[in-house]
Amino acid sequence: MPSHVRKQLSLLAKLKLFFENGKSGEALRAYCLSEKILLESIDIDCGASVPRATLHTMTLNSKTDRTLFYFHGGAFMYPLVPGPQMPGVRRIADAVQASKIIVLEYTLAPASLYPNQMIQAAHSLQHLLAAKNLAPENTILYGESAGGNLVLSLLANLKSPHPNAPVINLHDGRFKAALLSSPWVSLDTTTRSFAENASWDVFDADEVTNFIANWQPKHEVWADMLEAEAGFWRDVPVETMCVVVGDKEVFRDGIVEFAKSAGATEYPKVSATTLYVGPHETHCQGGADAALGIEGTGSMLAMLDVIGQKL
């Protein structure tokens, strides 16, 4: 097993205790305090049947009007862990020249089940548009793993509203970009990549099956992006989409199928939707390497290059 994979697995092992006991908001506040970043937090009412979400806004040094709206991963079961996750997010924020990073703190499974997280994301976006004058054309959506699923479920909800989510009108506006690192796009654990990469990746089919059992999603477009009708993902309200995945990921085949359904070209050809498959990379490799101080990994460099060309 390559050294960078061993390092990533070691990092995940060290985080296990926090994953089981930590809270996203508390961890983010501690991180911002240590980094001397101004943080403002607000609770969002998501209706009578869905728990309140929390939006955290980090103010950065950039003077642009751009905002990075970040959705963290963790199988919808685990909280944000800023130490390993924020270095990659900060690298993306710097590349897009964001003056703010907005972090959605959604409630976690199994206490909070599907579709609560998508409904919380939709209510949060509605609040940002109405109360904070968020401009979609200056907003970059960024999601890792389950967070990538949440970005796509939000885009799906804008195009085809979920019956329990608010209807949001962007008035023909489009987000500047959607950046997706190893997005969880399919509930199918029987693809070839699950068999090929079980000994390489950070989780296998049994663990993903456990994630699904705890989250309890349905086979519908807001949870399983491959359930969409033909052409659905070619016309969602975003100017540019970049999808990166490792070729040693169990999610690889589902992500590649999704990207093709969205009309992606494969990097280094850059288009409205661009797919990069990183040789010898595992789940969310770019973010993990950023946390470990490793520079110059394929998926992170590819995403930064797409940002440079398209944004």
Side-chain angles (χ1 to χ4, degrees), residues 64-203:
T64 71
D65 293 328
R66 286 189 173 179
T67 296
L68 184 69
F69 195 0
Y70 172 58
F71 301 79
H72 73 84
F76 293 110
M77 294 174 59
Y78 303 120
L80 170 69
V81 189
Q85 290 175 297
M86 289 309 296
V89 178
R90 296 283 299 277
R91 192 172 291 180
I92 296 296
D94 288 346
V96 303
Q97 300 180 331
S99 61
K100 297 183 180 194
I101 301 173
I102 298 177
V103 180
L104 174 64
E105 182 179 2
Y106 51 84
T107 52
L108 302 174
S112 186
L113 304 176
Y114 174 83
N116 283 0
Q117 295 81 12
M118 184 270 293
I119 293 171
Q120 291 172 327
H123 277 283
S124 296
L125 176 60
Q126 187 177 54
H127 167 81
L128 291 169
L129 293 168
K132 300 296 183 180
N133 297 316
L134 183 77
E137 66 272 17
N138 290 325
T139 302
I140 296 92
L141 308 175
Y142 177 45
E144 300 169 304
S145 192
N149 177 288
L150 202 47
V151 168
L152 292 170
S153 70
L154 187 59
L155 292 174
N157 185 68
L158 289 166
K159 181 173 180 176
S160 178
H162 186 280
N164 297 329
V167 176
I168 299 172
N169 188 348
L170 295 183
H171 303 288
D172 296 323
R174 303 172 78 83
F175 290 105
K176 187 67 176 176
L179 308 175
L180 307 168
S181 176
S182 302
W184 187 9
V185 298
S186 172
L187 304 178
D188 184 2
T189 61
T190 65
T191 60
R192 188 180 69 178
S193 56
F194 269 91
E196 287 182 353
N197 294 331
S199 62
W200 279 88
D201 209 357
V202 297
F203 42 70

Side-chain angles (χ1 to χ4, degrees), residues 208-235:
V208 175
T209 299
N210 181 59
F211 299 157
I212 293 169
N214 278 279
W215 183 38
Q216 296 185 24
K218 296 180 180 179
H219 290 275
E220 54 191 20
V221 68
W222 306 282
D224 186 331
M225 286 68 218
L226 300 187
E227 293 290 325
E229 296 179 356
F232 182 93
W233 292 110
R234 292 174 180 259
D235 185 30

